[in-house]
Amino acid sequence: MKILAINGSPNRNGSTAKLIEMVLDVCKDAGAECESLHMEDYVIGECSACIKHLKDCESCQGQDDDFMQLKAKMLDADGIVVGSPYYSGKPTVPLKTFINRIAFTSVNNSFFENKYIVGISTSAVSNSKKIARFCATLGHSSFMGNGIVSGMIYESTVDKVVMGDIADNQELKDKAKTIGLKLIEDIKIKRKPKLYKLKKIIFKKWVKVLYIKSIRAFDKIASKVRKFAEEQGWIKKINKIED
């Protein structure tokens, strides 16, 4: 059994890293093979919106960065732990950039449908639940059949850090133990959420079609509205730039 942890925090020894290690320690004690990675050690280019991901990720394979290497590590793992601090309501830029690519390249291929994922997030003052959920769902791509959320830990750690080392906090140790053991158990029994197959069929077959058709319909309506407004003189006509 392999567990891969990805730390999106720029602080290698910060609160997020320590929470991740707490979970991994529990998994190691249960006999799992664990590896912890730091996003700052990898070069991940931004998504180019090439739409080639709908076929076989050929564009991502052609980019000169570490994306495919890191993705391969995720595919080789049974469980994945993803963590990021709360930065102005978002995960860190390196992790967000990576998950953008993961979400797009997985949306039509379900690469991670049998992976169990734990999301971790910390914040000094705010509720970081939405960041933990973002991590646990790989940018919400799990709704498209990619990954199964095994658990989340989201903590406002300012008091715990000020009062002492976060690694010595018994409350967090207990939470990490619960999440770690659940991750191991989920992998062993291959747990599936309620109505998993039904949701998978609905989202994979109908939501994508509805989404694409809705976007196309909106574009057509927007073009007609703009053309009408230009003819009425309500807005200035935009001249196309010739090559």
Side-chain angles (χ1 to χ4, degrees):
M1 183 186 301
K2 293 183 179 180
I3 307 295
L4 177 71
I6 301 174
N7 180 15
S9 172
N11 189 344
R12 294 175 183 271
N13 300 304
S15 300
T16 303
K18 290 176 180 178
L19 275 178
I20 289 174
E21 286 305 314
M22 286 182 186
V23 174
L24 290 188
D25 286 343
V26 175
C27 295
K28 290 176 184 176
D29 291 341
E33 177 185 340
C34 299
E35 182 180 6
S36 184
L37 306 178
H38 195 262
M39 281 303 306
E40 293 289 331
D41 294 333
Y42 294 83
V43 176
I44 305 295
E46 295 183 358
C47 176
S48 61
C50 63
I51 313 300
K52 293 178 181 178
H53 60 266
L54 294 177
K55 294 182 179 180
D56 56 9
C57 309
E58 58 191 74
S59 178
C60 283
Q61 290 172 350
Q63 287 202 43
D64 186 20
D65 64 5
D66 300 321
F67 174 74
M68 295 304 295
Q69 176 190 346
L70 191 50
K71 181 178 178 179
K73 285 181 174 291
M74 294 176 69
L75 291 174
D76 190 47
D78 301 295
I80 304 169
V81 180
V82 184
S84 172
Y86 179 104
Y87 277 15
S88 300
K90 304 292 182 182
T92 58
V93 171
L95 185 64
K96 178 64 166 62
T97 301
F98 176 63
I99 288 183
N100 283 347
R101 295 272 294 279
I102 283 292
F104 275 111
T105 60
S106 302
V107 69
N108 205 50
N109 301 288
S110 300
F111 289 123
F112 301 98
E113 64 178 338
N114 295 316
K115 306 299 180 183
Y116 294 88
I117 309 170
V118 169
I120 292 177
S121 184
T122 60
S123 171
V125 293
S126 302
N127 187 326
S128 53
K129 181 177 180 178
K130 70 175 183 178
I131 307 302
R133 180 168 293 281
F134 182 88
C135 292
T137 59
L138 297 181
H140 307 297
S141 64
S142 65
F143 288 114
M144 305 303 286
N146 285 297
I148 300 169
V149 177
S150 188
M152 299 185 294
I153 302 179
Y154 42 94
E155 286 293 331
S156 177
T157 59
V158 61
D159 293 334
K160 298 179 179 66
V161 174
V162 170
M163 298 303 293
D165 192 332
I166 192 172
D168 295 328
N169 187 276
Q170 190 58 47
E171 178 187 347
L172 291 181
K173 284 183 178 180
D174 292 341
K175 287 184 178 181
K177 182 177 181 179
T178 300
I179 292 295
L181 291 176
K182 185 176 185 301
L183 176 60
I184 294 296
E185 182 66 15
D186 285 349
I187 295 171
K188 285 182 177 179
I189 67 174
K190 300 185 184 300
R191 179 186 67 84
K192 293 293 187 290
K194 293 180 179 179
L195 303 178
Y196 177 77
K197 291 184 179 180
L198 179 61
K199 290 179 180 178
K200 183 177 176 181
I201 293 173
I202 292 174
F203 280 108
K204 288 188 70 174
K205 299 299 182 181
W206 299 108
V207 171
K208 292 178 188 178
V209 174
L210 179 61
Y211 173 77
I212 292 172
K213 287 188 175 181
S214 296
I215 293 297
R216 289 175 177 172
F218 178 80
D219 286 341
K220 289 181 180 179
I221 293 173
S223 297
K224 290 181 179 180
V225 170
R226 181 169 189 86
K227 184 178 180 180
F228 177 77
E230 289 175 348
E231 292 173 350
Q232 299 299 316
W234 297 341
I235 60 175
K236 185 178 180 180
K237 186 175 182 179
I238 298 178
N239 295 318
K240 293 184 179 180
I241 299 175
E242 301 294 338
D243 294 333

